[in-house]
């Protein structure tokens, strides 16, 4: 497997993809006015070696020899001669490519030039080199995209397809070469066709490439190519049916990119995706991944999969036109609650934080969903446990406070037995240290930037409701029978002190700073 683009190297190291170290050595001198540690003529010769058999003509052989001969000396005239010959023959190479692409009778070849593994070796070197912006531009200038287009047109080899898509994927990491990908006639269409290849490594590279292209200035071109219903159905079929963690991650990441794209891209692709069942598919995927997390043997390679699925669901919930099905899903709320109730959150902390944000989004759109979790004591306990993992995420901390406020509001408004009231007080007081640390962190952060009025309001409301419940229990505690939900008096005093101190501090700060309320 070739080294992937620099933008995704760390991600792929996490899922255990081995990276080879077979970059070609730097020559003594360099051709052309290009800053690179690799001889440009060497890169060009590698491109020529990827030509399908139909293109492997005397003309292309002459081009290779013309390039190679220039590396034998440092004479400036030889360098100029090689440049002239490459420019002269590019038109002839394009003619040959056009002949392949336009020939209706052209039969597909199996493994073009791969029989002796030399094609794979040359392709992998180019795959590696394409991570460099300089090499990528050189490759594009010397028709690598046209050569790959011809290769994809005639090849039936999954390995050839994977390498070809890998090269283009690395080229797509650079703005200039990404733009060129969309401008090569027929290339966008044939890349989209590779979605129908039944090969996991190919599909991983395919979704990586499509994700990168949708993030560029040519995203509308790609969205229109992906718009046909059979293409989007194939995307969802792959997402729903693959068991390969890497492919799930890449394909769901592609769907996430669509949801986070510019409005025009979303308008082209999302309506059909939702109509074809995207929300239900994402919820079912989440259900499957959560069974892996709550099991006895957790699988670390699945943690990124869980996280990307949650992010894809979250992205949909913030788009008004497509959030309704998710926001009315009791199944989704229960799945998220299961994740939040995990006792050991360290390994999936990021996912738990996203789950809290998601629940807050769902509750803001559907008040009835609070009834699904308002009597779930372990959920309240797990929710407070998220605070330390969300210390750097103001939105997530606000989300946790918002859920706590809504839960305690339900308790205040409804009838509750003294025993149940004691259970809530027991949980909240046992977490008084985490609550105090969260409030202190927020106070320190507020000294460096303006405090949002909405943030102060959410937290203050939650603290007042905690204080109200504690006061209500204190008034009834003498009549409560002993139970396993004991309340530590020291923790309870600490909790009461936090509620009083920080509620008053926030109220004073807001009243004394009217300009912050306008911010």
């Amino acid at each position: 497997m070739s080294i992937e683009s620099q933008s995704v190297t760390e991600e792929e190291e996490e899922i255990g993809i081995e990276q080879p170290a077979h970059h070609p050595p730097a020559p003594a001198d360099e051709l052309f006015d290009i800053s690179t540690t690799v001889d440009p003529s060497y890169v060009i010769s590698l491109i020529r070696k990827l030509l399908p058999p139909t293109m492997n003509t005397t003309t292309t052989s002459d081009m290779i020899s013309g390039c190679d001969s220039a590396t034998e000396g440092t004479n400036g005239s030889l360098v100029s001669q090689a440049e002239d010959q490459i420019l002269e023959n590019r038109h002839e190479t394009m003619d040959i490519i056009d002949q392949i692409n336009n020939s209706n009778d052209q039969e597909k070849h199996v493994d073009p030039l791969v029989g002796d593994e030399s094609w794979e070796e040359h392709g992998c070197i180019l795959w590696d080199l394409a991570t460099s912006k300089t090499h990528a531009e050189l490759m594009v200038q010397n028709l690598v995209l046209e050569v790959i287009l011809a290769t994809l047109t005639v090849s039936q080899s999954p390995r050839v397809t994977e390498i070809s898509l890998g090269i283009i994927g690395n080229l797509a990491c650079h703005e200039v070469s990404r733009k060129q990908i969309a401008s090569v006639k027929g290339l966008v269409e044939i890349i989209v066709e590779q979605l129908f290849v039944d090969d996991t490594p190919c599909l991983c590279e395919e979704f990586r490439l499509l994700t990168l292209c949708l993030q560029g200035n040519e995203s509308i071109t790609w969205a229109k190519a992906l718009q046909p219903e059979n293409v989007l159905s194939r995307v969802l079929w792959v997402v729903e049916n693959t068991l390969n963690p890497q492919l799930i991650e890449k394909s769901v990441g592609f769907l996430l990119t669509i949801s986070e794209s510019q409005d025009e891209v979303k308008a082209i692709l999302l309506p059909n995706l939702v109509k074809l069942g995207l929300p239900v598919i994402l919820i079912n995927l989440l259900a499957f991944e959560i069974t892996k997390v709550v099991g006895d043997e957790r699988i670390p390679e699945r943690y990124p999969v869980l996280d990307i699925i949650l992010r894809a669901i979250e992205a949909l919930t913030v788009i008004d036109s497509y959030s309704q099905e998710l926001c009315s899903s009791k199944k989704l709320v229960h799945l998220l609650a299961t994740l939040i109730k995990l006792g050991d959150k360290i390994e999936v902390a990021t996912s738990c934080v996203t789950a809290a944000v998601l629940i807050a989004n769902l509750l803001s759109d559907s008040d009835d969903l609070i009834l699904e979790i308002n009597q779930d004591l372990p959920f309240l306990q797990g929710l407070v446990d998220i605070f330390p993992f969300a210390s750097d995420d103001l939105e997530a901390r606000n989300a946790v406070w918002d859920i706590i406020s809504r839960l305690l509001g339900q308790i205040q408004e409804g009838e509750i037995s003294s025993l149940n009231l004691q259970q809530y007080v027991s949980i909240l007081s046992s977490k008084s240290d985490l609550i105090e640390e969260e409030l202190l962190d927020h106070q320190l952060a507020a000294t460096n930037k303006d405090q949002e009025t909405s943030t102060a309001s959410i937290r203050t409301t939650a603290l007042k409701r905690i204080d109200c419940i504690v006061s209500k229990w204190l008034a009834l505690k003498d009549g409560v029978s002993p139970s396993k939900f004991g309340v530590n008096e020291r923790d309870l005093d600490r909790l009461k002190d936090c509620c009083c101190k920080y509620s008053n501090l926030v109220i004073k700060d807001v009243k004394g700073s009217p300009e912050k309320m306008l911010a």
Side-chain angles (χ1 to χ4, degrees):
M1 175 72 70
S2 174
I3 295 179
E4 304 293 356
S5 68
Q6 292 174 349
S7 64
V8 295
T9 298
E10 291 183 0
E11 172 192 349
E12 295 191 340
E13 283 179 350
E14 290 177 4
I15 56 178
I17 292 183
E18 198 172 300
Q19 300 179 357
H22 55 262
H23 290 286
D29 61 343
E30 298 177 358
L31 293 179
F32 316 123
D33 186 20
I34 295 177
S35 176
T36 173
T37 57
V38 179
D39 189 336
S41 68
Y42 174 60
V43 176
I44 295 166
S45 70
L46 289 172
I47 295 172
R48 302 296 183 261
K49 290 172 183 176
L50 298 191
L51 294 169
T54 309
M55 298 175 60
N56 197 18
T57 64
T58 304
T59 301
T60 53
S61 297
D62 290 342
M63 293 172 67
I64 296 172
S65 61
C67 295
D68 293 342
S69 64
T71 64
E72 296 176 2
T74 58
N75 188 297
S77 62
L78 287 178
V79 173
S80 178
Q81 214 173 20
E83 291 175 330
D84 292 342
Q85 183 162 5
I86 290 169
L87 291 172
E88 180 181 339
N89 288 323
R90 283 180 64 181
H91 296 294
E92 296 183 34
T93 306
M94 281 304 303
D95 289 340
I96 298 168
I97 294 172
D98 289 340
Q99 289 173 19
I100 290 180
N101 293 335
N102 296 329
S103 174
N104 294 327
D105 298 326
Q106 175 69 41
E107 294 184 0
K108 287 195 171 187
H109 295 269
V110 180
D111 303 337
L113 296 183
V114 185
D116 58 352
E117 298 184 356
S118 62
W119 194 101
E120 180 177 334
E121 179 183 353
H122 300 143
C124 284
I125 294 173
L126 284 172
W127 193 349
D128 292 345
L129 293 176
T131 60
S132 160
K133 180 181 177 182
T134 300
H135 296 147
E137 292 180 7
L138 175 67
M139 290 162 64
V140 169
Q141 290 167 10
N142 286 276
L143 308 179
V144 70
L145 292 173
E146 288 79 2
V147 170
I148 291 176
L149 170 59
T151 298
L152 290 173
T153 301
V154 300
S155 172
Q156 290 181 329
S157 163
R159 181 58 174 156
V160 170
T161 301
E162 179 197 357
I163 294 171
S164 298
L165 293 172
I167 294 171
I168 305 177
N170 280 359
L171 294 174
C173 295
H174 315 291
E175 183 177 355
V176 173
S177 49
R178 182 172 60 234
K179 184 177 181 180
Q180 289 300 313
I181 295 169
S183 68
V184 175
K185 183 179 179 181
L187 185 55
V188 171
E189 291 75 14
I190 203 165
I191 288 173
V192 171
E193 284 180 16
Q194 306 315 305
L195 283 168
F196 295 89
V197 174
D198 291 322
D199 181 78
T200 296
C202 288
L203 288 171
C204 286
E205 288 305 316
E206 171 78 357
F207 281 111
R208 182 176 78 95
L209 169 56
L210 292 174
T211 298
L212 289 165
C213 291
L214 277 181
Q215 294 169 346
N217 294 329
E218 304 73 34
S219 57
I220 303 300
T221 299
W222 289 95
K224 289 179 179 178
L226 291 161
Q227 188 177 19
E229 188 169 308
N230 68 313
V231 174
L232 296 179
S233 295
R234 171 64 177 179
V235 169
L236 294 181
W237 186 90
V238 172
V239 170
E240 189 174 19
N241 289 280
T242 183
L243 297 177
N244 183 278
Q246 185 185 0
L247 182 51
I248 298 174
E249 185 180 355
K250 298 293 185 185
S251 56
V252 175
F254 168 69
L255 295 172
L256 171 61
T257 298
I258 292 175
S259 298
E260 294 179 338
S261 295
Q262 58 178 292
D263 291 342
E264 192 170 350
V265 171
K266 288 188 283 194
I268 292 171
L269 297 176
L270 274 182
N272 273 341
L273 284 170
V274 172
K275 184 180 74 173
L276 292 168
L278 174 59
V280 174
I281 290 172
L282 289 175
I283 292 173
N284 289 339
L285 279 178
L286 179 62
F288 179 78
E289 293 303 325
I290 286 181
T291 62
K292 300 297 181 183
V293 172
V294 300
D296 295 333
E297 294 185 11
R298 293 187 180 181
I299 307 173
E301 68 176 356
R302 303 204 75 96
Y303 299 159
V305 177
L306 175 63
D307 190 51
I308 199 76
I309 293 170
L310 287 165
R311 288 170 56 200
I313 295 173
E314 181 190 2
L316 276 183
T317 62
V318 299
I319 304 174
D320 293 337
S321 305
Y322 309 112
S323 62
Q324 181 146 6
E325 189 168 352
L326 291 168
C327 292
S328 61
S329 174
K330 295 180 180 180
K331 179 180 180 180
L332 177 57
V333 173
H334 286 298
L335 288 171
L336 297 172
T338 299
L339 191 55
I340 285 175
K341 287 187 287 187
L342 286 176
D344 182 7
K345 292 183 174 66
I346 294 177
E347 294 174 317
V348 289
T350 303
S351 295
C352 291
V353 170
T354 305
V357 174
L358 249 174
I359 288 181
N361 289 348
L362 297 175
L363 294 179
S364 67
D365 286 338
S366 178
D367 293 336
D368 293 341
L369 288 178
I370 193 68
L371 300 176
E372 301 300 315
I373 51 177
N374 72 331
Q375 296 296 322
D376 195 341
L377 291 169
F379 174 78
L380 176 61
Q381 183 171 336
L383 195 62
V384 179
D385 287 336
I386 288 176
F387 275 135
F389 303 116
S391 58
D392 296 328
D393 190 336
L394 181 60
E395 179 189 6
R397 289 157 65 182
N398 291 344
V400 173
W401 280 117
D402 184 51
I403 300 169
I404 291 174
S405 178
R406 291 173 186 273
L407 282 173
L408 300 184
Q410 286 288 315
I411 296 171
Q412 279 184 297
E413 294 172 6
E415 293 185 4
I416 184 171
S417 68
S418 56
L419 179 59
N420 285 343
L421 191 62
Q422 179 176 337
Q423 292 173 344
Y424 279 102
V425 172
S426 175
I427 289 173
L428 290 169
S429 61
S430 68
K431 301 297 180 182
S432 60
D433 56 339
L434 292 181
I435 293 173
E436 184 177 33
E437 287 173 11
E438 149 61 17
L439 294 169
L440 180 60
D441 286 345
H442 192 95
Q443 183 184 11
L444 293 173
T447 63
N448 298 323
K449 59 182 179 179
D450 287 347
Q451 183 179 19
E452 294 285 347
T453 304
S454 59
T455 301
S457 176
I458 291 170
R459 196 172 64 259
T460 302
T461 301
L463 290 172
K464 286 183 175 180
R465 286 175 174 171
I466 291 174
D467 186 57
C468 179
I469 287 173
V470 169
S471 298
K472 189 174 183 180
W473 178 77
L474 288 173
L476 299 173
K477 73 172 186 175
D478 293 337
V480 178
S481 303
S483 72
K484 64 178 181 179
F485 294 98
V487 178
N488 184 292
E489 294 292 338
R490 184 174 179 181
D491 289 340
L492 185 60
D493 290 340
R494 187 177 185 178
L495 180 63
K496 290 167 57 183
D497 183 59
C498 285
C499 292
C500 179
K501 177 181 177 182
Y502 286 97
S503 293
N504 292 336
L505 184 64
V506 169
I507 293 171
K508 180 180 179 181
D509 181 53
V510 172
K511 287 182 178 179
S513 307
E515 67 276 2
K516 291 184 180 180
M517 298 180 68
L518 298 174

